[in-house]
Amino acid sequence: MGAAMSRPAPKSFHVKSFGCQMNVYDGARMAELLEGQGMSAAESADEADLIVLNTCHIREKAAEKVYSDIGRIVKKAEGDKPMIAVAGCVAQAEGAEIPRRAPAVDIVVGPQAYHNLPRLVAEAAEGKRALDTDMPAASKFDALPKRRRQGPTAFLTVQEGCDKFCTYCVVPYTRGAEISRPWAAIVDEAKALVDAGAREITLLGQNVNAWAGEDGAGRPQGLDGLIRALDALPGLARLRYTTSHPNDMSDGLIAAHGEVAKLMPFLHLPVQAGSDRILKAMNRSHDAASYLELIDRVRAVRPDIAISGDFIVGFPGETEAEFEETLTIIRAVNHAQAFSFKYSPRPGTPAATMDGQIAAAVMDERLQRLQALLNEQQHGFNLATVGRRCDVLIERDGKKPGQRIGKSPWLQSVIVENGPAIGELVTVDIVAAGPNSLNGVVVAEQKAA
Ligand code: SAH
Ligand code: SF4
Ligand code: F3S
C-alpha cells in the first residue's frame, strides 16, 4: 500500500482525543510514549510533524469527524503534510478502510495496540503504510512508560472492554471483551500519579464496576476493595470512578459510598431509557424499577450523592408513550447532570437493522424535551448547593485575573476569586449557582489540606 517514499522521522507530535475519558487516558499515554522516543509535544496540530487523531465511533457524527479533520489537515499543510495516525475506536472499527477513504493517513492503530506506536511511526517514516488493530492477550499497559507529570486530577484506566452487548452500541466491538488490570499494576500507577502531582484519581473503565481481581494477599476483590486500598494512599485526596453499569453495582460498592472518606459523592450510572420494553430491546438487563431501587440504596448510605446518567432517545420502535416513560424515570431520579443523545444506528449492531427506525425530526423534538428537563434538574441541584460549605480542588485558572476554577465533591465547577494555587484543596462557601457552575468564597481559616 502507499508510495514507498521514505521521509524524515517526526520530531514533534500532537494528540487530539475525541470521545470518552478512556480515550483521554489513552491519548495521555500515547503522548508519554512518543515523548519517551525523544519527540516533543507541539503547541498545536499546525506545528506537529505527527498528528494522532484518537477517535470515537460511538455515534455517526463522532465517527465522521475523523474524515473532516483529515481533510482539514491536508488542506492546511503547505508543502509536506504531517504524518497522520488514526487511533482509537474508528481505527478499530474501520481498519484498512480508513486509508482507502483517506489516502493521507499513514498509520492506523487500534485502542489495544497503541503501545506499538513507535514501531508504526518508524514504518511510516520508511514510506510504508502501517496498520495494527490487533487485540493481543498481552497487556499493552506493561509496554507503556511510567507516568509523568500530572495536573491535580488524573485518569487511571483499570478495566477495559465490554461484554454487555447493548444492541445499539459499538464498544464491545471496538474495545473487545471485558478485562481487568491487575491490582498491583493499578496501585503502582496510582502511586506514580500521586508522586507526579495528582490529588484526585478517577478510575476508568467502559464498565468500571465490573473490575475484578485479587489483592496482594491473593484474596478476590471487586472495585470496592480497590477503592478501599487506594483510599489509604498518602497524598491522594479524592477518588472517583466511571462508567458504571447497573448490573455490576455490588453491595460492597454501594456500602463504600457510605464509608470511604476519599470516595466522592458522585455516581454516573446510565439507565438509557425508562420503558421496560425498550430496555429489553436494548439488551440492558435491568428494568426501570430495579434501577430506581439501586438509586434508593445508594442514597440510603450517601443521601447527598449526585446522580448522573446517559439517555438515548429514539431507539427503534420507541413510541411517544415509551419516550414519556424516560421522562418519568428522570423525574424519579432527579439528576445532578446527565448526557443525552439521539439514537444513532451503528454498522454491525443489532439495533441498526431493527424495524421502526425513528425519524430525525421526532428524535430532535424528544431530545429537546428531555434536555429541558435535565437542564432544569441540573440547575436545581446547583441551586441546592448554595449555602453549603465544601471542599474544592483547584484545577485551573478562570477567565478573569485571580480567578480559579475547581470541582466540588459533587463534580460541579466552582469559580473562586483571589485564587488559591492550582492543586490546592480549599474549603469554600458556595454563594451562587448558575446552570453550569457555582460561585464560591474561600473560607479564610483553612484546615490542613
Ligand atoms: N459503557 C458506558 C458508556 C458507553 S458509551 C455505559 O454502558 O454506560 C456512552 C453513552 O453513549 C452510552 O451510555 C449511551 O447513552 C450512548 N450511546 C452508545 N451507543 C449509542 C448509539 N448508537 N446512539 C446513541 N447513543 C449511544
Ligand atoms: Fe455499550 Fe452497553 Fe457496553 Fe455500555 S454496557 S459500553 S452501552 S454495550
Ligand atoms: Fe467512543 Fe470508543 Fe469511548 S467509541 S465513547 S472512544 S470507547
Side-chain angles (χ1 to χ4, degrees):
M1 280 197 296
M5 283 262 287
S6 66
R7 56 192 295 176
K11 292 193 181 67
S12 61
F13 68 88
H14 183 82
V15 181
K16 194 169 168 191
S17 288
F18 305 88
C20 62
Q21 290 105 325
M22 309 208 48
N23 258 15
V24 175
Y25 173 88
D26 290 345
R29 303 307 312 264
M30 284 189 260
E32 288 169 339
L33 190 60
L34 296 170
E35 278 171 356
Q37 300 291 304
M39 296 171 67
S40 60
E43 290 285 316
S44 72
D46 295 349
E47 293 159 47
D49 302 330
L50 165 67
I51 298 177
V52 181
L53 300 173
N54 191 21
T55 60
C56 174
H57 202 245
I58 201 82
R59 284 167 290 274
E60 192 183 355
K61 265 202 186 134
E64 283 304 313
K65 236 186 144 342
V66 57
Y67 293 103
S68 52
D69 257 45
I70 294 164
R72 216 171 301 135
I73 293 165
V74 172
K75 212 170 156 194
K76 250 194 183 165
E78 288 157 18
D80 293 340
K81 75 154 187 67
M83 192 179 275
I84 301 176
V86 176
C89 290
V90 175
Q92 193 64 42
E94 297 188 356
E97 189 56 35
I98 296 170
R100 245 173 259 141
R101 195 171 149 188
V105 172
D106 304 282
I107 297 168
V108 176
V109 60
Q112 307 305 348
Y114 66 75
H115 55 293
N116 294 326
L117 205 47
R119 172 175 59 78
L120 298 167
V121 170
E123 285 176 18
E126 285 167 23
K128 293 182 198 144
R129 194 160 268 151
L131 184 136
D132 192 342
T133 52
D134 284 355
M135 289 200 180
S139 172
K140 71 178 172 227
F141 296 105
D142 299 337
L144 295 171
K146 225 176 130 60
R147 302 307 310 261
R148 299 253 175 85
R149 243 220 79 65
Q150 279 297 321
T153 63
F155 289 138
L156 201 179
T157 293
V158 303
Q159 181 280 338
E160 280 202 284
C162 182
D163 296 338
K164 304 285 192 288
F165 290 94
C166 300
T167 53
Y168 50 81
C169 184
V170 293
V171 172
Y173 311 96
T174 63
R175 294 275 175 164
E178 280 179 12
I179 59 125
S180 295
R181 286 182 72 189
W183 176 279
I186 296 166
V187 174
D188 284 352
E189 191 169 326
K191 279 185 189 150
L193 287 169
V194 172
D195 288 345
R199 308 225 47 202
E200 172 182 299
I201 293 178
T202 302
L203 306 178
L204 297 182
Q206 267 91 17
N207 281 292
V208 71
N209 57 345
W211 186 89
E214 282 179 359
D215 62 18
R219 286 173 303 221
Q221 294 283 359
L223 186 67
D224 52 314
L226 193 58
I227 285 171
R228 286 175 196 273
L230 296 177
D231 185 55
L233 267 192
L236 184 68
R238 292 176 158 189
L239 278 163
R240 303 180 184 277
Y241 63 95
T242 199
T243 289
S244 296
H245 192 287
N247 282 18
D248 295 316
M249 210 60 215
S250 69
D251 294 346
L253 187 55
I254 293 174
H257 274 286
E259 293 164 9
V260 178
K262 291 178 187 171
L263 182 58
M264 291 294 101
F266 186 94
L267 177 62
H268 182 69
L269 193 67
V271 65
Q272 312 295 355
S275 144
D276 288 344
R277 192 192 74 83
I278 294 291
L279 287 170
K280 202 154 186 221
M282 287 177 163
N283 192 32
R284 283 295 291 183
S285 56
H286 56 77
D287 56 21
S290 65
Y291 181 84
L292 289 174
E293 194 208 302
L294 259 181
I295 297 295
D296 283 347
R297 287 171 55 212
V298 179
R299 283 196 168 132
V301 298
R302 186 73 209 226
D304 69 333
I305 198 160
I307 303 293
S308 162
D310 293 339
F311 297 92
I312 296 175
V313 302
F315 185 82
E318 184 188 71
T319 64
E320 170 63 23
E322 285 165 341
F323 164 68
E324 281 170 17
E325 288 182 76
T326 301
L327 298 180
T328 304
I329 199 167
I330 289 174
R331 283 193 196 98
V333 171
N334 198 12
H335 298 77
Q337 60 170 64
F339 302 95
S340 47
F341 315 98
K342 286 182 271 187
Y343 167 72
S344 172
R346 307 308 297 129
T349 60
T353 50
M354 283 180 186
D355 290 340
Q357 302 284 325
I358 306 292
V362 175
M363 286 204 262
D364 282 331
E365 192 266 343
R366 287 180 188 170
L367 188 66
Q368 268 180 34
R369 280 155 70 196
L370 183 127
Q371 289 185 337
L373 177 58
L374 287 171
N375 290 343
E376 192 187 301
Q377 292 191 341
Q378 181 174 323
H379 197 181
F381 186 88
N382 287 348
L383 286 170
T385 318
V386 176
R388 288 190 76 150
R389 178 169 285 192
C390 65
D391 287 342
V392 171
L393 178 59
I394 303 298
E395 293 181 7
R396 58 193 166 92
D397 290 328
K399 280 198 194 112
K400 295 185 196 139
Q403 242 179 21
R404 301 272 191 277
I405 301 178
K407 289 275 161 54
S408 77
W410 308 280
L411 208 63
Q412 298 141 299
S413 289
V414 184
I415 302 166
V416 297
E417 310 294 329
N418 300 328
I422 289 170
E424 261 189 87
L425 190 68
V426 290
T427 308
V428 167
D429 285 328
I430 304 299
V431 295
N436 298 310
S437 64
L438 308 175
N439 293 84
V441 175
V442 178
V443 175
E445 237 168 75
Q446 292 288 322
K447 63 176 188 193

